[in-house]
Amino acid sequence: MDVVTNIFVGLHIIGIASLLGGFLTQMKAMSAGTARFVPAMLHGALTMLVTGIVLVGLNQAQDHPLNTIKLGIKMAVLVVILALVYVKRDEEQVAKPLFGAVGGLTVANIFIAVLWT
C-alpha cells in the first residue's frame, strides 16, 4: 500500500509542478499585461485535486491520523485556484491581479503542505 501512496504523492507533485510551471512561464507576459492561463495550469490543478482526494482516502484506509483542518484549507485554496483557471482559461489576456492571485495561492498551498505539521 505504501508503494501506491508514494505513486500518488509523485503524481500530486507533478500536478503542482505543472500548475506552478505554467504560472512561471507566463511571468514575463504578466509584466506586459498579456498573461493567460495555459492548459498545463488547468491540468495541473485537476491532477492535484484528484490525487489529493485519493491520498486522503489511502491514508484513511491505513488508519493514519489526518489533519482535517489543514486538508480542508488546502482543498478550499485549490478549489479557488481551479475555479479561476477554469473560468478564465479561454481568455487571451487575464488581468494581472487575477493571474498573480493564482500564483500566490499556488505558492501558499505549497507552504501550507510543507510547513504546517
Side-chain angles (χ1 to χ4, degrees):
M1 191 66 111
D2 288 338
V3 173
V4 174
T5 302
N6 288 334
I7 288 171
F8 278 99
V9 168
L11 291 172
H12 196 69
I13 292 170
I14 289 170
I16 194 88
S18 179
L19 177 59
L20 187 61
F23 173 78
L24 293 175
T25 61
Q26 293 289 306
M27 289 291 291
K28 189 172 184 179
M30 185 175 84
S31 65
T34 59
R36 62 185 307 262
F37 292 129
V38 295
M41 295 174 74
L42 178 62
H43 297 150
L46 287 170
T47 300
M48 287 176 58
L49 179 65
V50 171
T51 57
I53 291 169
V54 170
L55 284 168
V56 168
L58 288 172
N59 280 299
Q60 283 183 333
Q62 295 176 348
D63 290 328
H64 291 162
L66 297 175
N67 186 340
T68 54
I69 295 172
K70 174 184 172 180
L71 293 173
I73 291 171
K74 284 183 55 57
M75 176 72 85
V77 170
L78 182 58
V79 167
V80 170
I81 292 169
L82 189 56
L84 291 173
V85 173
Y86 185 78
V87 168
K88 301 288 187 177
R89 72 187 185 281
D90 292 331
E91 293 187 11
E92 286 298 317
Q93 295 179 358
V94 178
K96 285 182 186 181
L98 185 63
F99 195 79
V102 168
L105 288 171
T106 301
V107 171
N109 221 0
I110 293 169
F111 282 118
I112 290 169
V114 174
L115 299 176
W116 188 342
T117 56

